[in-house]
Amino acid sequence: MNNDIERILISQDQIEQREDELATELTAKYQDQFPIVVSVLTGAMIFTSDMLKRLNFKLNVDLVDVSSYAGANSTGEVELVQDLKSNVAGRPVLVMEDIIDTGRTLAYLVQLLKDRGAKSVEVCALLDKPERREVEIDGDYVGFKTPNEFLVGYGLDYNNLYRNLPYVGILKRSVYEQ
Ligand code: PRP
């Protein structure tokens, strides 16, 4: 698996250090807010779980599956594959994402949460690829801005592979151009 990686872009240590910083910020902000933390499946699973252990305030956890990709290129379509279990009306919501790319997934999800009456909606994303943005939306808490490379690992996949790499790496071209 590691042989398919061109190089490591963000190491496990760098991720963990940044997660500590983000968690400190979030813990200050959400101390008495009792938010619902919404993890966007499947990519955000690892980031969410590592962050949850660092968030020192009362919260609920929920999952949503919103899908925007097919293979290497975004189709531009967003689909609600699995809905939340919680009622978000009147509750602050903190959305956890692995990456903001075109912004379509988040734009859709944030609008959905607002339409359902969430008290507030903020987004915490590990990675942000601003060059790829098609919809105007930004994360409120962002781990790393990244260049426009094919990234995998730490939740990010290619054809549902490489999610379990403990770092964020650049996938070799030969892997997806064959
Ligand atoms: C990826 C990623 C984000 C989204 C970002 O999810 O996890 O949710 O795409 O892309 P966007 O900004 O262009 O919308 P994907 O739909 O590939 O599903 P996955 O998390 O199951 O891999």
Side-chain angles (χ1 to χ4, degrees):
M1 181 171 60
N2 290 278
N3 289 339
D4 292 348
I5 305 304
E6 184 71 45
R7 67 183 172 90
I8 294 176
L9 184 69
I10 308 168
S11 70
Q12 191 170 2
D13 277 356
Q14 287 173 301
I15 293 172
E16 285 173 4
Q17 202 183 325
R18 189 71 186 112
E19 283 174 343
D20 286 341
E21 293 169 1
L22 289 171
T24 301
E25 245 185 283
L26 287 166
T27 296
K29 168 79 194 261
Y30 281 95
Q31 198 49 237
D32 302 307
Q33 301 291 314
F34 191 29
I36 303 175
V37 175
V38 171
S39 182
V40 186
L41 296 169
T42 301
M45 194 181 68
I46 295 176
F47 177 53
T48 306
S49 116
D50 283 351
M51 284 298 292
L52 282 173
K53 288 176 274 184
R54 293 170 160 85
L55 298 180
N56 190 12
F57 51 89
K58 208 177 188 186
L59 55 81
N60 294 139
V61 179
D62 206 340
L63 306 169
V64 70
D65 193 353
V66 184
S67 190
S68 74
Y69 273 20
N73 295 305
S74 170
T75 59
E77 285 171 34
V78 181
E79 187 191 358
L80 184 60
V81 180
Q82 185 187 304
D83 205 344
L84 296 162
K85 287 185 177 158
S86 323
N87 177 6
V88 299
R91 298 285 303 277
V93 176
L94 176 63
V95 176
M96 305 298 295
E97 259 291 25
D98 52 342
I99 187 162
I100 312 173
D101 194 339
T102 65
R104 290 186 187 280
T105 302
L106 267 185
Y108 170 87
L109 183 58
V110 168
Q111 192 56 53
L112 183 78
L113 293 164
K114 285 182 179 167
D115 288 348
R116 290 179 178 180
K119 185 179 174 190
S120 61
V121 182
E122 285 196 313
V123 175
C124 176
L126 177 68
L127 307 174
D128 181 8
K129 254 191 208 173
E131 279 174 61
R132 292 260 306 162
R133 202 73 94 251
E134 291 172 15
V135 179
E136 220 176 291
I137 190 158
D138 280 315
D140 301 281
Y141 309 85
V142 170
F144 303 90
K145 289 208 193 287
T146 68
N148 188 14
E149 302 277 3
F150 201 125
L151 306 179
V152 292
Y154 204 76
L156 282 83
D157 74 309
Y158 171 58
N159 285 342
N160 209 14
L161 285 169
Y162 309 109
R163 292 193 199 272
N164 52 321
L165 290 171
Y167 54 79
V168 175
I170 298 175
L171 189 63
K172 281 183 183 164
R173 272 185 176 274
S174 56
V175 175
Y176 59 91
E177 281 186 349
Q178 58 194 345

